[in-house]
Amino acid sequence: MGVKLLLENDHIEGIRYYDTYRKHGGYRAAEKALKMAPADIVEEVKKSGLRGRGGAGFPTGMKWSFLAKPEGVPRHLVCNADESEPGTFKDRYLMEFHPHLFIEGLLVSSFALGSNHTYIYIRGEYAWIVDILEQAIAEAKNNGWLGKNILGTGFDCEIYVHRGAGAYICGEETALIESLEGKRGNPRMKPPFPAIQGVWMRPTVVNNVETLAAVVPIINMGGEEYAKIGVGKSTGTKLLSVCGNLNKPGVYEIDMTISVEEFIYSDEYCGGIPKGKRLKACIPGGSSVPIIPANLLLKTAKGETRIMNYESLSDGGFVSGSMMGSGGFIVLDEDQCVVRHTMSLARFYNHESCGQCSPCREGTGWMYKILKNIEYGKGKISDIDLLWDIQRKIEGNTICPLGDAAAWPVAAAIRHFRDEFEWHVLNPDESQKRNYGLAHYADPIHVPASA
Amino acid sequence: MSIRFTEERLNKVNEIIARYPDGKQKSALIPILHIAQDEFGGWLDAPVMDYVAEILHILPIEVYEVATFYSMFNMKPVGKYLLEVCRTGPCMLNGSDEIIDYIKEKLGISEGETTTDGLFTLKPAECLGACGYAPMMQLGKTFREHLTKEKIDQLINELRGQAKN
Ligand SMILES: Cc1cc2nc3c(=O)[nH]c(=O)nc-3n(C[C@H](O)[C@H](O)[C@H](O)COP(=O)(O)O)c2cc1C
Ligand code: SF4
Ligand code: FES
C-alpha cells in the first residue's frame, strides 16, 4: 500500500461533515498555520516541492512567492475547480467526499497569501457539489474557522463558491478570471500575469483544488517530510482519475513510485482490463497529453520500467513519452479505434475553442472535419499529412495553450498510429465494419497473468 | 409570465452580488443567469436577459454576449427534461454513441430536438467530469451514471410519471 495523504480517511463514514472531520484530526493544520507567519507557510510549501495539480505542474511555493503585494490593494486566492479536461474527475471526488479537507486547505492558503475574499470557481455542471461546499463552508464558519478575526488572530476570511456555466476554456487561469468578472471566457494575453494583475486587476493566485488540499498534509507534517514521499521532483502524493477500458475506474491516490504496469493491472488500483482484453494505448494525463501505445507506456524507449510520476511519464519527450498532466488516465483496449477516439477529442476542442485566435478556431474545425472523413471512410492519404500540417501550424501560435492541447493529441495519434489511419483510408468499407485491432502496439514482452 | 424575481429569489440575488467588491457587481452575472434560467422556463429569452441587465446595472449586450458563450445557457426553449448525454472520448470508449442512438430511437428525436409533448430534449454534451462512471448524462442538477438501455427505459418512464403528477 502506498502512502495516502488526501484520501487517508476515505473509509470513514461521515468524513464529509465537520464533526467527523474534526474528530479525525481535521483543522489541525489550520490551528498550526494561523500561529505561523504567512511567509513561513510559503516557505514550507516551497520546501515540500509541491507542484500544481491542475496540469502544468508548476511549483506552488514559487508561484505563491511571485504574488505582488502593493500597499492597500486587496489580493485574492482563486481556486480552479473548473475540472473539464476529458478524463479528469479527481477534484470532483475531493470536493464531494472531502469538502472540509479542501476548505481547510483554502483557509491555510488564504492566510499564507493574505486573501480575505477567496473564490472557488467550480464548473457549472457540478451543481450538487456547490451545495455540499456551501454547507461545509457554513459549518466551518459556525465553528469559527471562517469569518472575522479567526481564532483571535485578526485574520478575516470569507470563501465563496462561484458557479461557471459550461466552458472548458474557463479552466485556463486567465479565462477563469475573465469569467469570474462576469465576462466571456476569453483568455488574456500574458503578461501581465495574474500574480500582478488578476481578478479585478488585483494580484491573484489561481490554484487547483488538489493543490490546495495538499497544503493541509504539508503543514501537518512539514514541507521536508512531505518532500521525502515520492521521487525526485515528483514529491508527495497525486490523485489520478482513471477511465476508459478498466475493471476498476475511479479515483486513486498514489505516491508516485509505482510502475504504470502495476497501476493498471494490480487489484489495489485499476484491476486490469475488462474481459481479459489487451492494452492498446493510453492517455496518461488527461485528453490534452499525447496518446502512447502500450509498448511505450509500460516501458520507455530505453527499455526502462515506466513509473507513474512527472519525470518518468514524460521520458522520451513527445517522440516516445507523454505527460502526467491533470492525472486523467484514459485506457484503450485492443478493440478501440484510435481514429474514432482522436476524432472525438478533436470535436471536443473545436467545441471548446473560445474563437479568439484563428489558428485555434479554424484549425480545430478543420482537424475535426478531416478526422470525420477518415473515420467514415471518406479520407485520402494526403489528409493524414494535411492533419499533421494543421496541428503544427496551431501549436505555439495562439494566445493560450488550448491550441497546443488540441494539436498534441492529433500529433501523437498520427505519430504512433499512422498505419491505423492509413488502413482506414485504404479500406473505406472494411473500416466501417471492424476496427483495426492491435497490430504492433501491444506489449510484445508479456501480458501479466492477472490481465 | 411577468419577469420579476420573487422576494425570496431577489434576496438570494442580492446576497450573491454582495460577494464581489463594490462596483464589480457584474461578477455576479453567471450565477444570476443560472437562477434566471431556472426561474423563467429553462431558457434565456431576451426579456429575461434584459431584466438581469437591469438588476446588475449593465448593458443588455453584456448579458447576451455572456449567455451565448456558455453551453449551459439555453438560447431556445427546451423540454421539461433536458437529457445531456456526454459523448467525449472516455464516454465514447464505454458506449455513449449507442446510448445516444437508443434515446433517439426511443423518443423519435434527433440531437437538439424536443419531443412533441414538450417533455424531453436530447443534447449531446462534451465531457462532464464523470468519465470513470461512463456512459453518463446530466439531468438538471444531477448526473445519471453507468447508463444502460434498461436504465434509459426506467428513467424515461419515471420522468413521464413525474410529469403527469
Ligand atoms: C485549456 C486549459 C484548461 C485548463 N483547465 C484546468 C482545469 O480545469 N483545472 C485546473 O486546475 N487547471 C486547469 N488548467 C490550468 C490552469 O490554467 C492553471 O495552470 C492551474 O489552475 C494552476 O493551478 P495549479 O498550479 O495548482 O496547478 C487549464 C489550462 C488550460 C490551458
Ligand atoms: S488558443 Fe483557442 S481557446 Fe485559447 S485564446 Fe486562442 S482561440 Fe481561444
Ligand atoms: S468523457 Fe464523458 S464525462 Fe468525461
Side-chain angles (χ1 to χ4, degrees):
Chain A
M1 281 270 278
V3 184
K4 294 206 179 358
L5 300 175
L6 301 177
L7 303 185
E8 199 184 358
N9 291 334
D10 210 31
H11 58 285
I12 297 174
E13 198 173 332
I15 198 73
R16 181 192 277 188
Y17 303 103
Y18 177 81
D19 291 338
T20 314
Y21 179 70
R22 178 75 174 140
K23 201 162 78 204
H24 288 89
Y27 290 96
R28 254 194 315 136
E31 264 168 333
K32 188 168 169 186
L34 286 165
K35 291 189 195 114
M36 292 167 68
D40 292 341
I41 302 176
V42 177
E43 207 44 47
E44 286 305 315
V45 173
K46 268 193 187 161
K47 275 193 236 159
S48 74
L50 176 66
R51 292 166 68 171
R53 304 299 196 220
F58 191 82
T60 306
M62 204 192 295
K63 181 188 261 189
W64 285 11
S65 62
F66 291 153
L67 183 68
K69 299 192 170 104
E71 201 56 45
V73 183
R75 315 185 272 279
H76 295 285
L77 170 63
V78 176
C79 177
N80 189 340
D82 193 57
E83 191 165 65
S84 311
E85 169 96 350
T88 318
F89 48 99
K90 65 182 177 76
D91 295 338
R92 163 185 170 183
Y93 192 88
L94 263 183
M95 294 188 287
E96 192 169 357
F97 300 108
H98 300 274
H100 280 288
L101 174 71
F102 173 46
I103 301 296
E104 185 179 4
L106 277 167
L107 165 63
V108 172
S109 309
S110 299
F111 180 68
L113 298 167
S115 168
N116 303 115
H117 295 270
T118 291
Y119 297 87
I120 301 168
Y121 184 100
I122 187 168
R123 67 176 301 173
E125 293 88 349
Y126 287 172
W128 76 99
I129 300 180
V130 173
D131 297 340
I132 293 175
L133 291 177
E134 288 188 335
Q135 193 194 341
I137 290 169
E139 279 185 315
K141 202 166 172 175
N142 286 338
N143 286 282
W145 298 104
L146 292 173
K148 292 237 173 297
N149 190 20
I150 301 166
L151 298 195
T153 53
F155 177 62
D156 302 340
C157 185
E158 296 290 348
I159 298 176
Y160 301 113
V161 187
H162 181 103
R163 191 172 160 214
Y168 167 65
I169 190 57
C170 291
E172 193 283 329
E173 59 183 8
T174 60
L176 183 151
I177 287 170
E178 287 282 299
S179 182
L180 183 56
E181 292 183 356
K183 302 179 198 152
R184 295 165 76 93
N186 287 343
R188 293 178 180 170
M189 295 276 235
K190 295 192 229 184
F193 288 91
I196 313 296
Q197 287 186 327
V199 67
W200 310 301
M201 296 320 241
R202 298 169 175 181
T204 304
V205 164
V206 179
N207 271 134
N208 173 259
V209 173
E210 186 190 346
T211 310
L212 295 171
V215 171
V216 173
I218 289 172
I219 294 303
N220 276 330
M221 68 201 301
E224 259 164 47
E225 282 303 304
Y226 184 90
K228 287 183 191 156
I229 302 166
V231 278
K233 286 188 184 151
S234 297
T235 63
T237 62
K238 175 84 189 83
L239 294 185
L240 295 182
S241 56
V242 308
C243 61
N245 303 123
L246 289 165
N247 276 321
K248 290 167 56 191
V251 177
Y252 297 98
E253 181 169 18
I254 60 162
D255 66 9
M256 298 199 265
T257 59
I258 66 166
S259 70
V260 176
E261 184 166 334
E262 187 189 342
F263 185 65
I264 295 179
Y265 290 102
S266 78
D267 280 336
E268 190 184 343
Y269 299 104
C270 308
I273 297 171
K275 302 190 186 126
K277 286 188 191 177
R278 291 205 291 167
L279 176 67
K280 177 168 182 175
C282 174
I283 303 178
S287 63
S288 302
V289 311
I291 183 170
I292 43 177
N295 50 2
L296 283 174
L297 176 71
L298 304 183
K299 289 210 167 21
T300 66
K302 287 177 264 170
E304 289 164 2
T305 301
R306 217 185 268 281
I307 310 290
M308 293 291 298
N309 65 37
Y310 291 95
E311 288 79 17
S312 186
L313 284 173
S314 60
D315 189 299
F318 280 6
V319 176
S320 62
S322 184
M323 280 163 83
M324 183 86 173
S326 63
F329 194 84
I330 310 169
V331 168
L332 280 70
D333 72 22
E334 60 185 301
D335 289 333
Q336 298 296 350
C337 171
V338 168
V339 175
R340 189 167 183 78
H341 193 256
T342 310
M343 174 195 82
S344 140
L345 295 184
R347 182 183 57 215
F348 172 84
Y349 289 106
N350 182 224
H351 184 261
E352 302 299 339
S353 166
C354 85
Q356 273 192 115
C357 343
S358 31
C360 171
R361 184 187 59 238
E362 304 300 325
T364 53
W366 281 1
M367 291 197 301
Y368 172 43
K369 209 171 130 197
I370 295 169
L371 281 161
K372 207 159 72 171
N373 282 341
I374 299 177
E375 165 65 12
Y376 290 106
K378 296 186 199 109
K380 301 191 287 283
I381 287 290
S382 60
D383 282 342
I384 304 171
D385 297 316
L386 185 57
L387 266 180
W388 183 263
D389 225 45
I390 296 171
Q391 66 81 18
R392 280 292 299 274
K393 292 202 166 91
I394 300 175
E395 191 192 354
N397 292 320
T398 57
I399 294 176
C400 92
L402 186 138
D404 301 344
W408 294 343
V410 174
I414 297 176
R415 182 181 294 119
H416 298 298
F417 300 89
R418 194 180 179 104
D419 46 354
E420 189 162 340
F421 283 83
E422 288 175 356
W423 178 80
H424 264 258
V425 170
L426 299 174
N427 302 279
D429 296 325
E430 200 184 345
S431 69
Q432 299 311 294
K433 290 181 208 117
R434 73 168 183 99
N435 283 339
Y436 185 62
L438 268 183
H440 62 279
Y441 315 130
D443 177 10
I445 306 156
H446 78 281
V447 177
S450 62
Chain B
M1 181 168 47
S2 103
I3 300 165
R4 282 281 166 272
F5 284 130
T6 58
E7 186 76 23
E8 190 195 345
R9 281 268 169 247
L10 213 50
N11 287 340
K12 181 75 194 164
V13 163
N14 287 325
E15 183 201 312
I16 292 174
I17 293 172
R19 294 172 180 176
Y20 308 96
D22 283 348
K24 304 296 179 193
Q25 75 285 356
K26 183 174 170 177
S27 285
L29 177 54
I30 293 172
I32 291 172
L33 283 175
H34 276 300
I35 298 179
Q37 179 163 286
D38 283 350
E39 190 84 357
F40 304 118
W43 70 291
L44 296 170
D45 199 0
V48 172
M49 292 191 279
D50 295 348
Y51 173 56
V52 171
E54 190 188 310
I55 291 179
L56 289 175
H57 308 291
I58 56 179
L59 298 172
I61 181 72
E62 293 178 84
V63 180
Y64 304 160
E65 64 175 15
V66 164
T68 51
F69 186 85
Y70 295 92
S71 66
M72 290 184 79
F73 295 131
N74 301 314
M75 294 294 110
K76 289 187 311 211
V78 292
K80 188 171 166 84
Y81 302 109
L82 183 56
L83 311 178
E84 298 180 79
V85 187
C86 174
R87 59 175 176 180
T88 311
C91 276
M92 194 202 80
L93 297 176
N94 283 290
S96 60
D97 291 340
E98 287 83 35
I99 294 291
I100 294 177
D101 286 343
Y102 185 68
I103 297 177
K104 281 187 193 167
E105 190 192 302
K106 186 169 170 81
L107 296 177
I109 49 175
S110 308
E111 292 165 10
E113 288 181 356
T114 302
T115 49
T116 45
D117 59 6
L119 279 189
F120 301 101
T121 302
L122 172 65
K123 187 172 161 188
E126 300 295 346
C127 184
L128 297 172
C131 330
Y133 322 110
M136 62 79 66
M137 71 161 84
Q138 184 190 350
L139 175 67
K141 267 180 108 173
T142 63
F143 282 4
R144 302 297 171 114
E145 299 170 335
H146 297 297
L147 293 176
T148 56
K149 289 179 184 171
E150 294 73 41
K151 281 197 190 170
I152 297 291
D153 289 342
Q154 272 172 20
L155 181 67
I156 303 269
N157 283 342
E158 182 191 314
L159 296 176
R160 281 195 176 127
Q162 242 179 54
K164 272 195 203 120
N165 299 326

